[in-house]
Amino acid sequence: MINAPHSSLLCNIAEHAISTPDKTAIVEGNNRISYSRLAGSIQRVAGYMCALGINRGDRVLLVAQKEVEFIYLYFASHLLGAVNVVVDASSPRERLDYIASVTKPVVAFGNDVDIDGCRCLPFRGVEASDRVGDNPLAPTVNAADVADVMFTTGTTGAPKGVCLTHANVAASASNTNGFIGTVATDVEALALPLSHSFGLGRMRCVLMAGATLVLVGNFANLKSFFNVLDSERVTGFGMVPAVWQYIKRLSGRRIARFASQLRYIEIGSAALPIEDKHLLMELFPNTRLCMHYGLTEASRALFVEFHAYEGNLDAIGRPASSLVEVCILDDNGQAVADGVDGEICVRGNMVARSYFLPRDNENSYFGDWFRTGDWGHRDPNGVFYLTGRKKELINVGGEKVSPAAIENAIISLGVADCACIAVPDPGGVLGEVPKAFLLRSDDAPTIEEIKAGLSGLIPPHEIPAQWEWTDCIPRTSSGKIQRLKLKQ
């Protein structure tokens, strides 16, 4: 029996293994893992890790793969009180070496992984160990101990290691399930990568609820994904906006045939145009369409459900639960009035306690308020709105301009994709002016046509002063624009 009072997430899995031992917890191809087997495998893998000499507080680098062995290792580390350092298998070698050099893991698990100076072991065989046992370390682990270190994607600078405690990861899952409504009878298709906060969070949500998690390679093969939705009678899934654009482009409205069985879809990690929100509402009239706002450091701080916000779809919503607080502060950490832009700051049970490197904590908190680095405001009804990244705002003669607002306006005129950055005003009067990078395509409007169209959509000072066609808009794997790369 799993003994993990420090982890309510593990306690939930243990309870499901007792109350519904034969219920399917994970589907991996033709392999169906019950909750009883999941709990037993976590214990066996923890015993294997103990035999390797892994102790409480040791860092374990996990090269995330959509495989059950990764899930066993992930939770086994939590059971032991070891610290997971979760990385993407497709990460450049430079990034992997940097993360390993910073965290100094005692072992790295992954298929064909090779980290200089670190013992590297495959996923294969981790469950086969007969070393199960009563782990004497488990009772000494605390809920406030670090469970995971997740490195940011670095859209505005070098990646930072985010320290998430056992209490943080469980709270995030609890808050999210409370809002979305995931329950034990749900079946979720997980096509998101487990190396990122969103996908890993969905895994935790499903298993905490006692529901069934169906592992899907990715969204690239839509026919295969749709077959899974059909054959497993899937009731929910998560996706990033870039995936929705892919689904819409390749399948049109065909996904709507699952509207009657899908209870929820969670969307996050990047902005979604309002016209797409309306389309999703049309295609899924009875599905909870939940979009979260949050960073790795403050996972799912705010939620908006499209149908409930039908007349207010430009909002990012309200706090995810009563245990989450959000406020708007100025540069001195003082609250601003409703309707006034400032920095979005968050505190609550899911907020990271710190970064891995002490230097990264400088200017990251106002007391116990985490500074998101995002600019926005709150209306008198307590609903929050996002303006853009504070570091990416364009200061046009003292007016703070959101690049995202310009980008959305340009895309609405028929440009496939674009990104805006600040550049020095050639006239030396305004300080900064917007520059737009436009994704080249055969059917794109001309720049003159775009300028004419923008005149009725955004104020004159927001219309870009410089324009450049490009063959690629740099984005992270979750779809966030990497504007700093355009400044290089």
Side-chain angles (χ1 to χ4, degrees):
M1 173 64 182
I2 289 176
N3 179 25
H6 61 281
S7 170
S8 59
L9 186 53
L10 280 172
C11 288
N12 273 269
I13 291 174
E15 289 169 7
H16 301 320
I18 294 171
S19 61
T20 54
D22 298 326
K23 179 178 172 62
T24 300
I26 302 169
V27 177
E28 181 196 43
N30 295 323
N31 192 15
R32 307 182 87 83
I33 295 94
S34 68
Y35 270 97
S36 176
R37 180 179 166 188
L38 172 62
S41 295
I42 291 170
Q43 286 184 289
R44 277 190 292 278
V45 173
Y48 169 66
M49 295 175 78
C50 274
L52 293 174
I54 298 171
N55 298 307
R56 174 187 177 187
D58 286 343
R59 266 87 68 186
V60 176
L61 193 145
L62 297 180
V63 182
Q65 299 281 358
K66 205 77 66 64
E67 300 180 16
V68 292
E69 288 84 1
F70 167 80
I71 297 175
Y72 298 155
L73 282 161
Y74 177 81
F75 286 117
S77 285
H78 283 193
L79 181 59
L80 296 179
V83 179
N84 289 315
V85 180
V86 182
V87 297
D88 190 339
S90 62
S91 296
R93 182 56 186 254
E94 181 183 9
R95 178 180 170 89
L96 289 177
D97 286 344
Y98 170 77
I99 291 173
S101 70
V102 168
T103 59
K104 297 179 172 54
V106 297
V107 64
F109 287 100
N111 296 332
D112 303 317
V113 63
D114 179 21
I115 305 292
D116 290 341
C118 179
R119 178 171 47 169
C120 299
L121 297 170
F123 288 150
R124 294 177 294 275
V126 297
E127 191 192 1
S129 172
D130 292 327
R131 295 176 177 266
V132 181
D134 301 324
N135 184 351
L137 294 179
T140 69
V141 184
N142 299 313
D145 288 347
V146 175
D148 298 341
V149 177
M150 302 288 294
F151 277 78
T152 63
T153 49
T155 57
T156 59
K160 299 177 181 178
V162 180
C163 295
L164 298 167
T165 67
H166 293 281
N168 288 154
V169 297
S172 177
S174 178
N175 293 343
T176 304
N177 283 351
F179 184 89
I180 291 177
T182 306
V183 294
T185 53
D186 280 311
V187 178
E188 178 161 329
L190 181 63
L192 295 164
L194 286 170
S195 54
H196 295 169
S197 177
F198 191 1
L200 201 57
R202 286 311 313 156
M203 177 195 78
R204 293 191 295 251
C205 286
V206 173
L207 298 180
M208 173 176 267
T212 297
L213 185 74
V214 183
L215 300 180
V216 181
N218 52 48
F219 289 96
N221 187 334
L222 279 184
K223 182 179 180 180
S224 175
F225 179 68
F226 286 177
N227 285 341
V228 168
L229 296 186
D230 191 24
S231 63
E232 298 291 341
R233 298 300 299 168
V234 166
T235 61
F237 67 92
M239 66 177 176
V240 297
V243 164
W244 170 242
Q245 300 301 333
Y246 177 77
I247 292 174
K248 184 175 66 171
R249 187 172 68 252
L250 268 66
S251 70
R253 304 170 66 93
R254 276 181 290 171
I255 193 171
R257 69 186 176 92
F258 300 104
S260 62
Q261 73 183 60
L262 286 169
R263 292 201 323 109
Y264 64 86
I265 299 173
E266 184 180 359
I267 307 162
S269 298
L272 182 70
I274 286 181
E275 55 267 28
D276 283 307
K277 296 177 183 179
H278 283 296
L279 177 58
L280 282 164
M281 291 166 63
E282 178 189 343
L283 298 178
F284 300 99
N286 300 309
T287 302
R288 281 185 64 77
L289 301 169
C290 305
M291 188 159 194
H292 68 247
Y293 163 84
L295 297 83
T296 303
E297 298 92 332
S299 181
R300 287 130 163 119
L302 294 151
F303 267 104
V304 59
E305 198 285 310
F306 294 169
H307 294 293
Y309 281 71
E310 184 172 1
N312 202 17
L313 288 173
D314 56 341
I316 55 174
R318 292 186 173 92
S321 82
S322 61
L323 299 175
V324 179
E325 295 178 84
V326 182
C327 69
I328 306 296
L329 302 180
D330 64 20
D331 289 337
N332 297 314
Q334 300 300 308
V336 303
D338 287 344
V340 176
D341 274 351
E343 186 171 3
I344 300 173
C345 296
V346 183
R347 67 182 177 190
N349 55 2
M350 78 304 175
V351 176
R353 72 179 193 185
S354 68
Y355 289 105
F356 190 83
L357 295 177
R359 67 169 184 256
D360 289 333
N361 292 312
E362 296 176 10
N363 301 317
S364 295
Y365 295 83
F366 280 134
D368 57 353
W369 289 100
F370 173 71
R371 304 177 62 181
T372 67
D374 283 334
W375 211 243
H377 61 272
R378 184 183 66 182
D379 72 14
N381 297 316
V383 178
F384 289 83
Y385 301 79
L386 176 66
T387 304
R389 290 292 293 170
K390 184 178 179 182
K391 293 179 180 178
E392 295 173 346
L393 293 177
I394 305 169
N395 190 348
V396 183
E399 294 283 344
K400 300 293 192 298
V401 174
S402 165
I406 304 173
E407 290 155 3
N408 289 337
I410 292 174
I411 289 173
S412 74
L413 297 173
V415 176
D417 199 5
C418 71
C420 290
I421 63 170
V423 295
D425 177 17
V429 175
L430 298 175
E432 294 179 338
V433 293
K435 176 179 180 179
F437 291 84
L438 311 173
L439 186 65
R440 203 185 316 274
S441 66
D442 293 337
D443 56 351
T446 67
I447 289 176
E448 290 306 315
E449 289 171 335
I450 297 170
K451 287 181 181 179
L454 289 178
S455 64
L457 297 175
I458 56 177
H461 69 278
E462 294 187 8
I463 296 177
Q466 297 182 20
W467 305 79
E468 182 177 328
W469 292 101
T470 181
D471 293 322
C472 177
I473 300 295
R475 291 181 178 270
T476 67
S477 57
S478 59
K480 297 176 183 176
I481 297 173
Q482 294 177 300
R483 294 185 179 87
L484 284 185
K485 288 191 173 182
L486 294 170
K487 293 188 175 184
Q488 295 173 355

